[in-house]
Amino acid sequence: MSEELRTAAETAAEEKVSRNFIELEIDKDLAEGVYDHVQTRFPPEPNGYLHIGHAKSILTNYGLAQQYGGKFNMRFDDTNPTKEKDEFVQSIIADVKWLGADFEDRLFFASDYFGQMYECAVKLIKKGKAFVCDLSADEIRETRGDFNTPGKNSPYRDRSIEENLALFEEMKSGVIADGARVLRAKIDMASPNINMRDPVIYRVAHQSHHRQGDKWCIYPMYDFAHPIEDAIEGITHSICTLEFEDHRPLYDWVVTECEFDPKPRQIEFAKLYLTNVVTGKRYIKKLVEDGIVDGWDDPRLVSIAALRRRGYTPASIKKFVELVGLSKANSSVDSAMLEYCIREDLKMKAPRMMAVLDPVKLVIDNYPEGQTEELPMPLNLENPELGERMLTFGKELWIEREDFMEEPPKKYFRLFPGNEVRLMGAYFVTCTGCEKDADGRVTVVHAAYDPMTKNGMEVGRKVKGTIHWVNAADCKQVTARLYENIVDEEKGKLNEDGSLNLNPNSLTVIDRCFVEPALAQAEAYDSFQFVRNGFFCADCKDSIQGQPVFNRIVSLKSSFKLS
Ligand code: ATP
Ligand code: MG
């Protein structure tokens, strides 16, 4: 290791009191001279959209490369043509870039290495370390044994090198039917690790590949392909999730027997799971296919595309991944933590505007007919740098229906007959009564204002309640959407039969939401705090010029506390 790197590693170690277990392993490898640099990769299979779990993997791999002054590769693990599509390649690239993991020109496709993988397979055959096997998939499974019983050698295990070479060539040439023959590594059918019991490394599949077309009809299996991909690219630390821990001996076997030098090293960490949130590609796919959600980017999902559409920022996701940390044990993280991170990110940045989600008319009877006035209001009280906007005020306003009660319970400090409240940034008003329709539903609330309290100033008396409002004369009507978790929180994610336990209230569409005029100019991805109602983001798909549709990113209240 160079002196420079050693110093960098030492300073990093000193600066950060607690280093995670992957950093410790990397420090050790650098100190012992196993590697003289760090190179990581993110290797998605382009068979679906990325989700929050992948974000963890991306930011971890990218973060480590940054931290050690190394390189980060974006590599598509596109070795299984059945499920892979270019649509997914494009969406994955967009998501990784959006998250800020800058791979520059280091974009790779495992399928570009098919030639080298084939050469590796031939090398193994020549070393007597691989053989062509004619057993069917079922027979292979049956002879594999299990945890307690060793497997049985295949009757084809002792074929000569020449015969194996000829048969493998035949597999490649296209004359062998799918499944009729496979190439297997010759390791040890009695190994306590089932992955080492002569695993299949190549199969015949007469399938077009999204990049290679019909060039190949044999495809490498994941456990064989992945270590070779890492080795070819000069990856030092191949970071993956825990389910591959038992595959590590096979990973090491492949890089050793194929004689790669230096050899990449696999390190596993626990997958990220969130409570009350569906992360698995399989489940998301089902929700999309069953039409329960509006595509892979439905804001109720936690695909990266969905989080972006909902209004999450790269910074909030990065913060979340840092808070969660890296672990060797599987566990579920409270989804409230993700919400906490976006609230923290938007708190100071987002303008705070007024929007009424469930409007009822408020008439200020003593306000002069036909009068309007302009009131200045800060865009974010906690962040004066955002400046202010002017709002008009008039005789007729819209307020939230729940901000008036004819017969209030104790500790209700909003409008009820005789009570005075502050209209945010405007005046103090005292409720004088209401009008109702035939069903007893309140249609208009009446109040009187005190002209001395302009801009909401106290004049010798305090009020306990402050409510938001918009001016009926110039407010705009927009659509707002409120979300809850797509699966029922109380009863758990899955029903007994394994189907998803769906929450019927996961989406509420509010067509009659009245907002300050400026909000009608919101562009896709613009985020705001709607005071008292939460953070909202203009939808990138359903908004049209002057007619935004707002998605609630998150409410303002949180049960989550940073411990
Ligand atoms: P899924 O489980 O959603 O189907 P996958 O593991 O099949 O995902 P890949 O495209 O193979 O998806 O994953 C690319 C990388 O992302 C792998 O290194 C994988 O380990 C990692 N990854 C996938 N899911 C998670 C997760 N929940 N948490 C952390 N890393 C993950
Ligand atoms: Mg996978």
Coordinates of all heavy atoms in Angstrom, one line a residue, residues 41-47 49-58 61 77 92 222 226 239-244 269-273 279-282, ligand 1:
R41 N -18.5 -2.2 -6.6 CA -19.4 -2.1 -7.8 C -20.8 -2.3 -7.2 O -21.1 -2.8 -6.1 CB -19.1 -3.2 -8.8 CG -19.7 -4.6 -8.5 CD -19.1 -5.3 -7.3 NE -19.8 -6.5 -7.0 CZ -20.6 -6.7 -6.0 NH1 -21.0 -5.7 -5.2 NH2 -21.2 -7.8 -5.8
F42 N -21.8 -1.8 -8.0 CA -23.2 -2.1 -7.8 C -23.7 -3.0 -8.9 O -23.6 -2.5 -10.1 CB -24.0 -0.8 -7.7 CG -25.5 -1.1 -7.6 CD1 -26.0 -1.8 -6.5 CD2 -26.4 -0.7 -8.6 CE1 -27.4 -2.1 -6.4 CE2 -27.7 -0.9 -8.5 CZ -28.2 -1.6 -7.4
P43 N -24.1 -4.2 -8.7 CA -24.4 -5.2 -9.7 C -25.8 -5.6 -9.9 O -26.2 -6.7 -9.7 CB -23.5 -6.4 -9.3 CG -23.7 -6.3 -7.8 CD -24.0 -4.9 -7.4
P44 N -26.7 -4.7 -10.2 CA -28.1 -5.1 -10.3 C -28.4 -6.0 -11.5 O -27.7 -5.9 -12.6 CB -28.9 -3.8 -10.5 CG -27.9 -2.9 -11.2 CD -26.6 -3.3 -10.7
E45 N -29.4 -6.8 -11.4 CA -29.9 -7.6 -12.5 C -31.0 -6.7 -13.1 O -31.9 -6.3 -12.4 CB -30.5 -8.9 -12.0 CG -30.8 -9.8 -13.2 CD -31.4 -11.2 -12.8 OE1 -31.4 -11.5 -11.6 OE2 -31.8 -11.9 -13.7
P46 N -31.0 -6.4 -14.4 CA -32.0 -5.5 -15.0 C -33.3 -6.2 -15.2 O -33.8 -6.4 -16.3 CB -31.4 -5.1 -16.3 CG -30.4 -6.1 -16.7 CD -29.9 -6.8 -15.4
N47 N -33.9 -6.7 -14.1 CA -35.2 -7.4 -14.2 C -36.3 -6.7 -13.4 O -37.3 -7.3 -13.0 CB -35.0 -8.9 -13.7 CG -34.6 -9.0 -12.3 OD1 -34.4 -8.0 -11.6 ND2 -34.5 -10.2 -11.8
Y49 N -37.4 -2.6 -11.2 CA -36.9 -1.3 -10.8 C -36.2 -1.4 -9.5 O -36.4 -2.3 -8.7 CB -38.1 -0.4 -10.6 CG -38.7 0.1 -11.9 CD1 -39.4 -0.7 -12.8 CD2 -38.5 1.4 -12.4 CE1 -39.9 -0.3 -14.0 CE2 -38.9 1.9 -13.6 CZ -39.6 1.0 -14.4 OH -40.1 1.5 -15.6
L50 N -35.3 -0.5 -9.2 CA -34.6 -0.5 -7.9 C -35.5 0.0 -6.8 O -36.4 0.8 -7.0 CB -33.4 0.4 -8.0 CG -32.3 0.0 -9.1 CD1 -31.1 1.0 -9.0 CD2 -31.9 -1.4 -8.9
H51 N -35.2 -0.5 -5.6 CA -36.0 0.0 -4.5 C -35.0 0.5 -3.4 O -33.8 0.5 -3.5 CB -36.9 -1.1 -4.0 CG -36.2 -2.4 -3.7 ND1 -35.3 -2.5 -2.7 CD2 -36.4 -3.7 -4.2 CE1 -34.9 -3.8 -2.6 NE2 -35.5 -4.5 -3.5
I52 N -35.6 0.9 -2.3 CA -34.8 1.5 -1.2 C -33.7 0.6 -0.7 O -32.7 1.0 -0.3 CB -35.8 1.9 0.0 CG1 -35.1 2.6 1.1 CG2 -36.6 0.7 0.6 CD1 -34.8 4.0 0.8
G53 N -33.9 -0.8 -0.7 CA -32.9 -1.7 -0.4 C -31.7 -1.6 -1.3 O -30.5 -1.6 -0.8
H54 N -31.9 -1.4 -2.6 CA -30.8 -1.2 -3.5 C -30.1 0.1 -3.3 O -28.9 0.2 -3.4 CB -31.4 -1.2 -5.0 CG -31.9 -2.6 -5.4 ND1 -33.2 -2.7 -5.7 CD2 -31.3 -3.8 -5.5 CE1 -33.5 -4.0 -6.0 NE2 -32.3 -4.7 -5.9
A55 N -30.9 1.1 -2.8 CA -30.3 2.4 -2.5 C -29.2 2.2 -1.5 O -28.1 2.8 -1.5 CB -31.3 3.4 -2.1
K56 N -29.5 1.3 -0.5 CA -28.5 1.1 0.5 C -27.3 0.5 -0.1 O -26.2 0.9 0.3 CB -29.1 0.1 1.6 CG -28.1 -0.3 2.6 CD -28.8 -0.9 3.8 CE -27.7 -1.2 4.8 NZ -28.2 -1.6 6.1
S57 N -27.5 -0.5 -1.0 CA -26.3 -1.1 -1.6 C -25.5 -0.1 -2.4 O -24.3 -0.1 -2.4 CB -26.9 -2.3 -2.4 OG -25.8 -2.9 -3.1
I58 N -26.2 0.7 -3.2 CA -25.6 1.7 -4.1 C -24.8 2.6 -3.2 O -23.6 2.9 -3.5 CB -26.6 2.5 -4.9 CG1 -27.4 1.6 -5.8 CG2 -26.0 3.7 -5.6 CD1 -28.7 2.2 -6.4
N61 N -21.7 1.0 -1.5 CA -20.6 0.7 -2.4 C -19.9 2.0 -2.9 O -18.7 2.1 -3.0 CB -21.1 -0.1 -3.6 CG -21.2 -1.6 -3.2 OD1 -20.2 -2.3 -3.0 ND2 -22.4 -2.1 -3.2
D77 N -25.7 -7.0 -14.1 CA -25.5 -8.5 -14.0 C -26.6 -9.1 -14.9 O -27.5 -9.7 -14.4 CB -25.7 -8.9 -12.5 CG -25.0 -10.2 -12.2 OD1 -24.7 -10.9 -13.2 OD2 -24.8 -10.5 -11.1
I92 N -32.8 1.9 -14.2 CA -31.7 1.7 -13.1 C -30.6 2.8 -13.3 O -30.2 3.4 -12.3 CB -31.2 0.3 -13.2 CG1 -32.2 -0.7 -12.7 CG2 -29.9 0.1 -12.4 CD1 -31.8 -2.2 -12.9
Y222 N -25.3 -17.7 -12.0 CA -24.9 -16.6 -11.2 C -23.6 -16.8 -10.4 O -22.7 -16.0 -10.4 CB -26.1 -16.2 -10.2 CG -25.7 -15.1 -9.3 CD1 -25.9 -13.7 -9.7 CD2 -25.1 -15.3 -8.1 CE1 -25.6 -12.7 -8.9 CE2 -24.7 -14.2 -7.3 CZ -25.0 -12.9 -7.7 OH -24.6 -11.9 -6.9
H226 N -20.7 -14.3 -11.4 CA -20.4 -13.1 -10.6 C -19.0 -12.9 -10.1 O -18.4 -11.9 -10.3 CB -21.4 -13.1 -9.4 CG -21.6 -11.7 -8.9 ND1 -22.5 -10.9 -9.4 CD2 -21.0 -11.0 -7.9 CE1 -22.5 -9.7 -8.8 NE2 -21.5 -9.7 -7.9
I239 N -19.2 -6.5 -2.4 CA -20.1 -6.4 -1.2 C -21.5 -6.8 -1.6 O -22.1 -6.3 -2.6 CB -20.1 -5.0 -0.6 CG1 -18.7 -4.8 -0.1 CG2 -21.1 -4.8 0.4 CD1 -18.3 -3.3 0.0
C240 N -22.0 -7.8 -0.9 CA -23.4 -8.4 -1.3 C -24.2 -8.6 0.0 O -23.7 -8.3 1.1 CB -23.2 -9.6 -2.1 SG -22.5 -11.0 -1.2
T241 N -25.3 -9.2 -0.2 CA -26.2 -9.4 1.0 C -26.0 -10.8 1.5 O -25.5 -11.7 0.9 CB -27.6 -9.0 0.6 OG1 -28.0 -9.5 -0.7 CG2 -27.8 -7.5 0.6
L242 N -26.5 -10.9 2.8 CA -26.3 -12.1 3.6 C -26.6 -13.4 3.0 O -26.0 -14.5 3.3 CB -27.1 -11.9 4.9 CG -26.4 -12.2 6.2 CD1 -25.1 -11.6 6.3 CD2 -27.3 -11.7 7.3
E243 N -27.6 -13.5 2.1 CA -28.0 -14.8 1.6 C -26.9 -15.4 0.7 O -27.0 -16.6 0.4 CB -29.4 -14.7 0.8 CG -29.3 -14.0 -0.5 CD -29.5 -12.5 -0.5 OE1 -29.2 -11.9 0.6 OE2 -29.9 -11.9 -1.5
F244 N -25.9 -14.6 0.4 CA -24.8 -15.2 -0.4 C -23.6 -15.7 0.5 O -22.6 -16.1 0.0 CB -24.3 -14.2 -1.4 CG -25.3 -13.9 -2.5 CD1 -26.0 -12.8 -2.5 CD2 -25.5 -14.9 -3.4 CE1 -27.0 -12.6 -3.5 CE2 -26.5 -14.7 -4.4 CZ -27.2 -13.5 -4.4
F269 N -23.4 -8.2 3.9 CA -24.1 -7.4 5.0 C -25.6 -7.7 4.9 O -26.1 -8.3 3.9 CB -23.9 -5.9 4.9 CG -24.5 -5.3 3.7 CD1 -25.8 -4.7 3.8 CD2 -23.9 -5.3 2.4 CE1 -26.4 -4.1 2.6 CE2 -24.5 -4.7 1.3 CZ -25.7 -4.1 1.4
A270 N -26.4 -7.4 5.9 CA -27.8 -7.7 6.0 C -28.6 -6.8 5.1 O -28.3 -5.6 4.9 CB -28.3 -7.6 7.4
K271 N -29.6 -7.4 4.4 CA -30.5 -6.7 3.6 C -31.3 -5.7 4.4 O -31.5 -5.9 5.6 CB -31.5 -7.6 2.9 CG -31.0 -8.1 1.6 CD -32.2 -8.7 0.8 CE -31.7 -9.1 -0.6 NZ -32.6 -9.7 -1.5
L272 N -31.7 -4.6 3.8 CA -32.5 -3.6 4.4 C -34.0 -4.0 4.2 O -34.4 -4.3 3.1 CB -32.3 -2.3 3.8 CG -33.3 -1.2 4.2 CD1 -33.1 -0.8 5.7 CD2 -33.0 0.1 3.3
Y273 N -34.7 -4.2 5.3 CA -36.1 -4.4 5.3 C -36.8 -3.2 6.0 O -36.3 -2.8 7.0 CB -36.5 -5.7 5.9 CG -36.0 -6.9 5.1 CD1 -34.9 -7.6 5.6 CD2 -36.6 -7.3 4.0 CE1 -34.4 -8.7 4.9 CE2 -36.2 -8.4 3.3 CZ -35.0 -9.1 3.7 OH -34.6 -10.2 3.1
T279 N -40.9 -4.3 -0.1 CA -39.7 -4.1 -0.9 C -39.4 -5.1 -1.9 O -38.8 -4.8 -2.9 CB -38.5 -4.0 0.1 OG1 -38.6 -5.0 1.1 CG2 -38.3 -2.7 0.7
G280 N -39.8 -6.3 -1.7 CA -39.4 -7.4 -2.7 C -39.9 -7.1 -4.1 O -41.1 -6.7 -4.3
K281 N -39.0 -7.3 -5.1 CA -39.4 -7.1 -6.5 C -40.6 -7.9 -6.9 O -41.5 -7.4 -7.6 CB -38.2 -7.6 -7.4 CG -37.4 -6.5 -7.9 CD -36.3 -7.2 -8.8 CE -34.9 -6.6 -8.5 NZ -33.9 -7.5 -9.1
R282 N -40.7 -9.1 -6.3 CA -41.8 -10.0 -6.7 C -43.1 -9.4 -6.3 O -44.1 -9.5 -7.0 CB -41.5 -11.3 -5.9 CG -42.3 -12.5 -6.3 CD -41.6 -13.8 -5.8 NE -41.4 -13.8 -4.4 CZ -42.2 -14.3 -3.5 NH1 -43.3 -14.9 -3.9 NH2 -42.0 -14.2 -2.2
Ligands
ATP1 P1 -35.0 -8.3 -4.7 O1 -34.7 -9.0 -3.5 O2 -35.8 -7.0 -4.5 O3 -35.5 -9.1 -5.8 P2 -32.3 -8.7 -5.8 O4 -31.4 -9.0 -4.8 O5 -32.8 -9.8 -6.7 O6 -33.5 -7.8 -5.2 P3 -30.4 -7.5 -7.6 O7 -30.6 -6.7 -8.8 O8 -29.8 -8.9 -7.7 O9 -31.8 -7.6 -6.8 O10 -29.6 -6.7 -6.5 C1 -28.5 -5.8 -6.8 C2 -27.7 -5.6 -5.6 O11 -28.6 -5.0 -4.6 C3 -27.2 -6.9 -5.0 O12 -25.9 -6.7 -4.6 C4 -28.1 -7.1 -3.8 O13 -27.5 -7.8 -2.8 C5 -28.5 -5.7 -3.4 N1 -29.8 -5.6 -2.7 C6 -30.9 -6.1 -3.1 N2 -31.9 -6.0 -2.2 C7 -31.3 -5.4 -1.1 C8 -31.8 -4.9 0.2 N3 -33.1 -5.1 0.5 N4 -30.9 -4.3 1.0 C9 -29.6 -4.1 0.6 N5 -29.1 -4.5 -0.6 C10 -30.0 -5.1 -1.4

